[in-house]
Amino acid sequence: MKPWKPLALALLCSPMSSYGAAFSTCPTQAFLVQQNVAQLFGVNLATGHYQTLSSDMGTSGKLNAIGFNLHDDHLYAWSYQHQTLAKIGDDYQLQPLSLNWNGIDSQVNFYVGDVAVDENAHYLYRSGVDRGLYRVSLAPNEADYLSMQRIVDGAALNLRIFDMAFHPDNGMLYSVDNKGVLWRIDPNDGSSQSLATVGQTGTFGAVYFDVDGNLYISRNSDGLIFQIDISAAQPTALRYAQGPASSNNDGARCAIAPIVAEDDANIDFGDAPSSFGTRLAENGARHQLVAGGIRLGQRVDGEMDAYVYPASDDSSRLLDDEDGIAFVTALQVGLDFVLQVDSSGEGYLNGWIDLNGNGVFDVQEQILNDQAVDPGVQSLLVSIPEGYTSGERWARFRVSSVAGVQATGGAPDGEVEDYQIYVGDAATQVSYYPSADGYATVAFEDNWPAAGDYDLNDLVVNLQTKVLSFNNAEVARIELQGEVRAVGASFHNGFAIRIPGLAKSLLDRATIRFEINGELQAHSVIDEASDEIVAIIASDVRQYINPQNQCDFYKTQSDCEGAGQLHFKVHLPLLEGLDLASLPSAPFDPFIFATEHSREPYFSDSPARGLEVHVKNQSPSTQASDSLWGSFDDSSNPSSGSYYQTANGLPWAIIVPYNWQYPFERVSVADAYPQFLQYAQSEGLESGDWYLLENARSELIYQQEGK
């Protein structure tokens, strides 16, 4: 790929010139000129969003054959009013140029043209015996400056094209005619070659290239923008974005610019796995973020490219901007379900579910097709057809002010939201903790049995549990998934989830599935030293979070974003025979344990797995050491079922059925949330909503900025 860099070449005109100043950079936006009295628009080809650059360009007529000149950073276009080329600077006002026609018939207007990349010259084309392909030098220091030279006549080069563009590297011109034929034209002699039929027809009045050599064609009748990989064995027009329609289109672009600028974070992408079309390189679903434009839910974030699952910030559900769709009832093959939509304005909603689980959104999997939505929250009844199997699936929803948005490609406004969901069948029921689209927060103080700073952010994990059962009676599978959000500790800790009282002999060991960061793990997740089901998510969380010790307090200090990630997913299939009623309450028993690393100043030698930290009054696993009860600040009394609490009844770990925002490092949770002490000491009978953000001292709360 040719590297892209801003251009600021010297203006090659006289110092006394009245031309507008050169553009300061090589623009990523495309230029589109429309209307019989020319107006100029800037178009983001990635999304199709456009804005008016000038509604008055200083002419009473049309402009066509527009091109961007890399050699002086100006636009050049054919002026119908003046019947000559005009130069256009950053004020978007045209200045007619005086051409030397060299005896060529001057009673002609050109609507096809572009400025070359590797030479300072404009090429113009019009079909017909008396016309053809022309070259006009734009270099003031050349002897033929502004002289018309015919390369070939229109009988030898007779194409039904409406714009053309220079490739960024090979010096050739390209266009697509009204029958969808891709042409390559050699500007040296005017010879042409038919390369392929791209699968789209119509008048393509604006044609562009990007730095990677992708060709873009914009159809006048509907404004659709198509991308063509001209290097492919069979170049095909891929629907890319929805742009503005017009009966009079002509386009230009700096051919060595990327399609999206490196600092452009005004596009919303999805975050489903790559196979669904998520990243820009995959023509992923994307929307221009327009001020005041339509949205799903209350939050949206912008990127220059997608953060694909599991790297997305949306997986935590704290900074999640996937908040516009709620699944009110369970999804089941062959039945209807209720979907709740929160839209900020009037528009069209389209939705897909990967019902066959093949990793793409097939055309027949569209469950909402241009569904009209109004401002506010509304409920929709949606059907899932017969013929599909149950399982975990991905869903995509897209809202926009324009209709016809597909599962991939760009949209000029709106938002895309991707969701992981479960589609059941008639015999399977699913129960979630805390909800189908929500995550609980598990937070630990790892100084136990010493109170320490009591900030409850030494390990913060978002956790969701799912139980699948047959006919609401027999447990089929238990699923655990979540991510580590913060590590506010210098100690090394392992993290595990135990299902108390459930023997591991009940597991179907051959079909257990364990994923870390989207990758299937070869080692077993089950703790072989325990008779109960204990899933060891990480024997040392720091193997994944800040493995290079970038900073000790990962996402608990404003200057410690750190590095790494730990997303996990565990499927625990059970053998037949477990009654649902005998299953312990979710979210079961998440806990941390010490590693072999130092635990000073509290222990000269680390207690390792003997030191576990659980929520208040939760009995530990059989691996915990009895010798630690009652030491330091712990007031546990196993004989009375009292575990992991101080003399004041305060816990060393909490579970909040909510996306809890934890305190900064070394800020006591009791200071950050003034109602916490009352809640803890009343055994949860008072101040039950202590954990809500409105009940916190916001200056003491860590709140990460979105990506």
Side-chain angles (χ1 to χ4, degrees), residues 162-163 176-177 180 200-207 217-220 226:
F162 303 92
D163 195 17
V176 175
D177 68 19
Q200 296 291 334
T201 61
T203 298
F204 300 105
V207 179
I217 57 176
S218 175
R219 187 159 56 197
N220 290 20
F226 300 91

Side-chain angles (χ1 to χ4, degrees), residues 40 114 301 388 450 546 607:
L40 190 65
D114 195 22
D301 54 11
Y388 294 100
N546 280 347

Side-chain angles (χ1 to χ4, degrees), residues 236-312:
T236 302
L238 173 68
R239 179 169 167 171
Y240 200 69
Q242 173 68 64
S246 174
S247 60
N248 177 28
N249 264 5
D250 202 90
R253 188 174 186 275
C254 179
I256 65 168
I259 203 68
V260 173
E262 293 182 1
D263 59 351
D264 186 357
N266 290 316
I267 301 175
D268 177 57
F269 286 85
D271 60 0
S274 297
S275 64
F276 290 100
T278 306
R279 295 187 181 93
L280 183 62
E282 302 146 2
N283 192 27
R286 58 200 182 273
H287 294 251
Q288 188 78 34
L289 296 181
V290 180
I294 189 171
R295 299 280 191 272
L296 287 171
Q298 304 302 308
R299 295 184 294 274
V300 67
D301 54 11
E303 306 106 346
M304 62 169 292
D305 206 345
Y307 291 92
V308 174
Y309 176 85
S312 171

Side-chain angles (χ1 to χ4, degrees), residues 387-398:
Y388 294 100
T389 58
S390 62
E392 290 189 338
R393 302 290 183 254
W394 277 90
R396 170 167 291 167
F397 297 90
R398 304 185 66 179

Side-chain angles (χ1 to χ4, degrees), residues 392-679:
E392 290 189 338
R393 302 290 183 254
W394 277 90
R396 170 167 291 167
F397 297 90
R398 304 185 66 179
V399 72
S400 178
S401 66
V402 301
V405 172
Q406 298 183 341
T408 58
D413 61 9
E415 184 180 359
V416 53
E417 295 191 349
D418 292 343
Y419 292 85
Q420 287 181 284
I421 60 174
Y422 185 84
V423 177
D425 54 30
T428 305
Q429 289 77 42
V430 185
S431 61
Y432 297 88
Y433 179 86
S435 65
D437 61 352
Y439 280 65
T441 303
V442 189
F444 297 90
E445 175 59 56
D446 70 351
N447 283 306
W448 186 88
D453 51 16
Y454 206 66
D455 49 22
L456 284 178
N457 66 15
D458 294 333
L459 184 67
V460 181
V461 178
N462 270 18
L463 175 64
Q464 182 192 69
T465 67
K466 183 189 307 180
V467 176
L468 287 77
S469 61
F470 294 119
N471 300 315
N472 280 322
E474 185 176 313
V475 178
R477 185 167 78 231
I478 299 169
E479 298 182 7
L480 315 167
Q481 65 177 0
E483 69 157 343
V484 170
R485 277 177 45 209
V487 180
S490 55
F491 290 154
H492 287 244
N493 296 298
F495 176 63
I497 301 172
R498 166 175 164 246
I499 306 179
L502 210 63
K504 68 182 181 186
S505 59
L506 294 172
L507 290 171
D508 183 356
R509 300 291 292 268
T511 58
I512 290 175
R513 184 177 180 87
F514 177 34
E515 295 180 10
I516 293 288
N517 297 332
E519 296 184 0
L520 188 64
Q521 301 298 294
H523 66 276
S524 174
V525 69
I526 301 301
D527 181 8
E528 300 299 343
S530 175
D531 291 332
E532 295 176 303
I533 297 177
V534 178
I536 304 293
I537 306 301
S539 56
D540 185 350
V541 170
R542 287 191 176 274
Q543 293 176 344
Y544 301 94
I545 303 297
N546 280 347
Q548 304 302 319
N549 294 318
Q550 290 91 339
C551 52
D552 280 337
F553 306 107
Y554 172 78
K555 294 185 178 179
T556 63
Q557 293 183 161
S558 57
D559 60 349
C560 183
E561 284 293 314
Q565 60 180 356
L566 176 50
H567 299 256
F568 60 89
K569 184 180 292 186
V570 182
H571 290 188
L572 300 172
L574 301 184
L575 299 171
E576 296 181 5
L578 179 65
D579 187 348
L580 181 61
S582 66
L583 191 68
S585 298
F588 311 121
D589 176 25
F591 67 95
I592 61 173
F593 55 89
T595 69
E596 298 293 340
H597 291 80
S598 172
R599 220 70 180 181
E600 293 182 346
Y602 304 110
F603 300 97
S604 56
D605 296 312
S606 173
R609 180 59 190 277
L611 190 158
E612 297 180 353
V613 182
H614 299 251
V615 297
K616 181 178 175 179
N617 292 333
Q618 172 64 62
S619 61
S621 79
T622 56
Q623 306 303 306
S625 172
D626 293 340
S627 65
L628 298 177
W629 303 127
S631 61
F632 294 94
D633 298 301
D634 179 65
S635 295
S636 298
N637 184 0
S639 63
S640 63
S642 172
Y643 295 95
Y644 298 103
Q645 58 181 289
T646 69
N648 293 327
L650 300 184
W652 268 271
I654 59 172
I655 299 176
V656 180
Y658 175 80
N659 290 302
W660 185 56
Q661 294 186 322
Y662 48 85
F664 276 112
E665 183 63 29
R666 296 190 177 90
V667 172
S668 169
V669 67
D671 292 332
Y673 288 89
Q675 299 178 24
F676 173 75
L677 289 180
Q678 186 176 31
Y679 169 81

